[in-house]
Amino acid sequence: MTTGRALALLATAAALTLTATTASAAAPAHTAACTGYVGLTFDDGPSGTTTGLLDALRRNGLRATMFNQGQYAAARPALVRAQVAAGMWVANHSYTHPHLTRLSQAGIDSEISRTQQAIAGAGGGTPKLFRPPYGETNATVKSVAARHGLTEIIWDVDSQDWNGASTDAIVRSVARLTNGQIILMHDWPSNTLAAIPRIAQTLTSRGLCPGTISPGTGRAVAPS
């Protein structure tokens, strides 16, 4: 082997070693970028705006928990499957969005159980999380939800997107989140859709990453 060829082989080997070392060092750095996790949640889908929302979330590297109404999951099963395919987590938000605390125990049970069936039948799996409409709950609602293997999830920050909050206001709401906290947003407001890229930027700037919601603690944690 000529001296020139030997030197070329040594240079190639050194470059490969350097590349492997760099890649190895880069993996922990990416993980370390997440100093905490928050729960992005979207209520009231799936709807005619779900596809656009999923596209925006995916483009910006975000995952979220979708609290679906059973009536809409039953009517739009393909969108439930699209939520799962986009990497989202699907949860129970009652069947018709009533004031559950005004219903009988049997009425509450019907709202929750029919939604479990609708989501599972649509390909969304069996939900482990439940959000009562309007955040209204009591001991009976919690008891019925628990009987169906559901953990009740409210929220720490309300984006007020349901109340006409501007895109700027929604982004400011996200900026208030701290590790483990959950924010309420909705599937349908146009301002929420417009806020998605800035939500991603805001979380990144604060070292926060979108996480899953633990059925055990009800807090946002790293996706498993």
Side-chain angles (χ1 to χ4, degrees):
M1 181 183 297
T2 66
T3 302
R5 178 156 179 78
L7 288 173
L9 288 173
L10 285 172
T12 300
L16 289 173
T17 301
L18 179 60
T19 300
T21 303
T22 303
S24 161
H30 178 72
T31 303
C34 293
T35 59
Y37 293 87
V38 297
L40 305 178
T41 69
F42 294 88
D43 288 9
D44 294 347
S47 71
T49 55
T50 297
T51 299
L53 175 62
L54 293 177
D55 287 345
L57 291 169
R58 198 160 33 188
R59 280 197 310 271
N60 289 279
L62 299 177
R63 300 178 72 186
T65 301
M66 318 303 282
F67 282 96
N68 286 341
Q69 290 188 40
Q71 61 181 337
Y72 299 145
R76 304 180 178 101
L79 289 179
V80 177
R81 293 191 291 274
Q83 290 172 335
V84 174
M88 309 303 152
W89 300 282
V90 181
N92 186 320
H93 192 43
S94 82
Y95 201 85
T96 64
H97 207 274
H99 295 275
L100 291 178
T101 55
R102 302 177 188 174
L103 300 184
S104 66
Q105 183 169 319
I108 296 167
D109 189 276
S110 175
E111 285 285 332
I112 292 175
S113 63
R114 285 191 296 157
T115 303
Q116 290 292 89
Q117 293 163 11
I119 289 174
T126 301
K128 299 296 183 187
L129 307 176
F130 166 69
R131 172 170 288 161
Y134 314 104
E136 296 173 352
T137 189
N138 58 23
T140 304
V141 172
K142 290 179 181 177
S143 173
V144 173
R147 204 158 56 234
H148 287 282
L150 293 161
T151 299
E152 186 179 270
I153 304 296
I154 308 297
W155 54 81
D156 299 290
V157 176
D158 181 353
S159 71
Q160 291 283 313
D161 63 348
W162 56 271
N163 198 29
S166 67
T167 297
D168 286 346
I170 294 167
V171 174
R172 286 195 299 270
S173 295
V174 171
R176 289 162 44 201
L177 289 169
T178 59
N179 182 39
Q181 288 192 327
I182 295 164
I183 185 167
L184 169 68
M185 293 180 285
H186 291 78
D187 175 278
W188 48 268
S190 58
N191 285 344
T192 303
L193 178 60
I196 297 300
R198 291 173 59 196
I199 287 173
Q201 292 164 6
T202 298
L203 293 180
T204 299
S205 70
R206 301 183 60 227
L208 295 172
C209 295
T212 189
I213 299 173
S214 166
T217 66
R219 307 296 287 166
V221 297
S224 55

mmCIF file of all heavy atoms in Angstrom, residues 69-71 73-74 77 80 95 113-124:
data_model
loop_
_atom_site.group_PDB
_atom_site.id
_atom_site.type_symbol
_atom_site.label_atom_id
_atom_site.label_comp_id
_atom_site.label_asym_id
_atom_site.label_seq_id
_atom_site.Cartn_x
_atom_site.Cartn_y
_atom_site.Cartn_z
ATOM 1 N N GLN A 69 -65.537 15.009 21.978
ATOM 2 C CA GLN A 69 -66.927 14.709 22.294
ATOM 3 C C GLN A 69 -67.320 13.417 21.587
ATOM 4 O O GLN A 69 -67.002 13.218 20.413
ATOM 5 C CB GLN A 69 -67.841 15.845 21.842
ATOM 6 C CG GLN A 69 -67.697 17.122 22.652
ATOM 7 C CD GLN A 69 -68.753 18.148 22.278
ATOM 8 O OE1 GLN A 69 -69.912 17.807 22.045
ATOM 9 N NE2 GLN A 69 -68.355 19.410 22.226
ATOM 10 N N GLY A 70 -68.030 12.569 22.302
ATOM 11 C CA GLY A 70 -68.412 11.275 21.744
ATOM 12 C C GLY A 70 -69.267 11.385 20.499
ATOM 13 O O GLY A 70 -69.099 10.609 19.542
ATOM 14 N N GLN A 71 -70.188 12.350 20.469
ATOM 15 C CA GLN A 71 -71.062 12.489 19.301
ATOM 16 C C GLN A 71 -70.267 12.800 18.045
ATOM 17 O O GLN A 71 -70.612 12.344 16.946
ATOM 18 C CB GLN A 71 -72.113 13.572 19.551
ATOM 19 C CG GLN A 71 -71.540 14.963 19.810
ATOM 20 C CD GLN A 71 -72.624 15.998 20.086
ATOM 21 O OE1 GLN A 71 -73.774 15.823 19.693
ATOM 22 N NE2 GLN A 71 -72.244 17.077 20.780
ATOM 23 N N ALA A 73 -66.955 12.054 17.636
ATOM 24 C CA ALA A 73 -66.101 10.894 17.346
ATOM 25 C C ALA A 73 -66.895 9.846 16.576
ATOM 26 O O ALA A 73 -66.379 9.222 15.635
ATOM 27 C CB ALA A 73 -65.555 10.305 18.641
ATOM 28 N N ALA A 74 -68.154 9.678 16.959
ATOM 29 C CA ALA A 74 -69.007 8.708 16.271
ATOM 30 C C ALA A 74 -69.315 9.151 14.848
ATOM 31 O O ALA A 74 -69.392 8.332 13.923
ATOM 32 C CB ALA A 74 -70.307 8.506 17.054
ATOM 33 N N PRO A 77 -65.282 9.264 12.511
ATOM 34 C CA PRO A 77 -64.256 8.315 12.974
ATOM 35 C C PRO A 77 -62.918 8.476 12.265
ATOM 36 O O PRO A 77 -61.863 8.242 12.863
ATOM 37 C CB PRO A 77 -64.886 6.942 12.702
ATOM 38 C CG PRO A 77 -65.933 7.205 11.660
ATOM 39 C CD PRO A 77 -66.455 8.572 11.944
ATOM 40 N N VAL A 80 -60.759 10.839 14.130
ATOM 41 C CA VAL A 80 -60.184 10.260 15.349
ATOM 42 C C VAL A 80 -58.926 9.482 14.989
ATOM 43 O O VAL A 80 -57.883 9.603 15.647
ATOM 44 C CB VAL A 80 -61.199 9.350 16.067
ATOM 45 C CG1 VAL A 80 -60.564 8.682 17.290
ATOM 46 C CG2 VAL A 80 -62.435 10.149 16.488
ATOM 47 N N TYR A 95 -70.351 12.926 25.857
ATOM 48 C CA TYR A 95 -70.946 12.646 24.551
ATOM 49 C C TYR A 95 -71.566 13.876 23.911
ATOM 50 O O TYR A 95 -71.365 14.149 22.734
ATOM 51 C CB TYR A 95 -71.994 11.533 24.675
ATOM 52 C CG TYR A 95 -72.274 10.852 23.363
ATOM 53 C CD1 TYR A 95 -71.464 9.806 22.924
ATOM 54 C CD2 TYR A 95 -73.331 11.242 22.555
ATOM 55 C CE1 TYR A 95 -71.696 9.178 21.697
ATOM 56 C CE2 TYR A 95 -73.569 10.627 21.326
ATOM 57 C CZ TYR A 95 -72.749 9.592 20.908
ATOM 58 O OH TYR A 95 -72.971 8.994 19.691
ATOM 59 N N SER A 113 -69.832 6.677 29.258
ATOM 60 C CA SER A 113 -69.675 5.344 28.665
ATOM 61 C C SER A 113 -69.861 5.361 27.158
ATOM 62 O O SER A 113 -69.122 4.693 26.419
ATOM 63 C CB SER A 113 -70.654 4.351 29.309
ATOM 64 O OG SER A 113 -71.997 4.731 29.056
ATOM 65 N N ARG A 114 -70.828 6.143 26.665
ATOM 66 C CA ARG A 114 -71.036 6.204 25.216
ATOM 67 C C ARG A 114 -69.827 6.831 24.515
ATOM 68 O O ARG A 114 -69.490 6.458 23.391
ATOM 69 C CB ARG A 114 -72.310 6.985 24.885
ATOM 70 C CG ARG A 114 -73.590 6.226 25.156
ATOM 71 C CD ARG A 114 -74.790 6.954 24.565
ATOM 72 N NE ARG A 114 -75.005 8.255 25.187
ATOM 73 C CZ ARG A 114 -75.668 9.249 24.607
ATOM 74 N NH1 ARG A 114 -76.149 9.111 23.375
ATOM 75 N NH2 ARG A 114 -75.837 10.392 25.246
ATOM 76 N N THR A 115 -69.179 7.776 25.190
ATOM 77 C CA THR A 115 -67.986 8.390 24.594
ATOM 78 C C THR A 115 -66.833 7.404 24.556
ATOM 79 O O THR A 115 -66.083 7.344 23.555
ATOM 80 C CB THR A 115 -67.598 9.661 25.368
ATOM 81 O OG1 THR A 115 -68.711 10.546 25.373
ATOM 82 C CG2 THR A 115 -66.410 10.354 24.723
ATOM 83 N N GLN A 116 -66.678 6.620 25.617
ATOM 84 C CA GLN A 116 -65.644 5.577 25.611
ATOM 85 C C GLN A 116 -65.842 4.650 24.419
ATOM 86 O O GLN A 116 -64.894 4.319 23.702
ATOM 87 C CB GLN A 116 -65.697 4.764 26.913
ATOM 88 C CG GLN A 116 -65.243 5.509 28.168
ATOM 89 C CD GLN A 116 -63.763 5.824 28.189
ATOM 90 O OE1 GLN A 116 -63.342 6.891 27.699
ATOM 91 N NE2 GLN A 116 -62.958 4.927 28.729
ATOM 92 N N GLN A 117 -67.088 4.254 24.210
ATOM 93 C CA GLN A 117 -67.392 3.326 23.121
ATOM 94 C C GLN A 117 -67.174 3.977 21.754
ATOM 95 O O GLN A 117 -66.629 3.358 20.838
ATOM 96 C CB GLN A 117 -68.838 2.845 23.255
ATOM 97 C CG GLN A 117 -69.088 1.979 24.479
ATOM 98 C CD GLN A 117 -70.573 1.859 24.827
ATOM 99 O OE1 GLN A 117 -71.448 2.259 24.054
ATOM 100 N NE2 GLN A 117 -70.861 1.306 26.000
ATOM 101 N N ALA A 118 -67.595 5.241 21.625
ATOM 102 C CA ALA A 118 -67.463 5.927 20.338
ATOM 103 C C ALA A 118 -66.000 6.101 19.951
ATOM 104 O O ALA A 118 -65.620 5.887 18.784
ATOM 105 C CB ALA A 118 -68.156 7.286 20.399
ATOM 106 N N ILE A 119 -65.171 6.495 20.909
ATOM 107 C CA ILE A 119 -63.750 6.717 20.613
ATOM 108 C C ILE A 119 -63.054 5.408 20.301
ATOM 109 O O ILE A 119 -62.288 5.301 19.327
ATOM 110 C CB ILE A 119 -63.076 7.455 21.782
ATOM 111 C CG1 ILE A 119 -63.567 8.909 21.841
ATOM 112 C CG2 ILE A 119 -61.550 7.404 21.650
ATOM 113 C CD1 ILE A 119 -63.091 9.693 23.034
ATOM 114 N N ALA A 120 -63.338 4.371 21.099
ATOM 115 C CA ALA A 120 -62.730 3.068 20.840
ATOM 116 C C ALA A 120 -63.188 2.528 19.485
ATOM 117 O O ALA A 120 -62.385 2.007 18.706
ATOM 118 C CB ALA A 120 -63.085 2.091 21.956
ATOM 119 N N GLY A 121 -64.480 2.694 19.182
ATOM 120 C CA GLY A 121 -65.015 2.211 17.919
ATOM 121 C C GLY A 121 -64.455 2.941 16.718
ATOM 122 O O GLY A 121 -64.395 2.391 15.614
ATOM 123 N N ALA A 122 -64.028 4.179 16.929
ATOM 124 C CA ALA A 122 -63.457 4.979 15.836
ATOM 125 C C ALA A 122 -61.965 4.723 15.639
ATOM 126 O O ALA A 122 -61.358 5.277 14.717
ATOM 127 C CB ALA A 122 -63.681 6.463 16.116
ATOM 128 N N GLY A 123 -61.377 3.929 16.520
ATOM 129 C CA GLY A 123 -59.947 3.635 16.386
ATOM 130 C C GLY A 123 -59.056 4.501 17.240
ATOM 131 O O GLY A 123 -57.845 4.566 17.015
ATOM 132 N N GLY A 124 -59.655 5.156 18.245
ATOM 133 C CA GLY A 124 -58.867 6.030 19.107
ATOM 134 C C GLY A 124 -58.360 5.368 20.373
ATOM 135 O O GLY A 124 -57.794 6.046 21.232
#
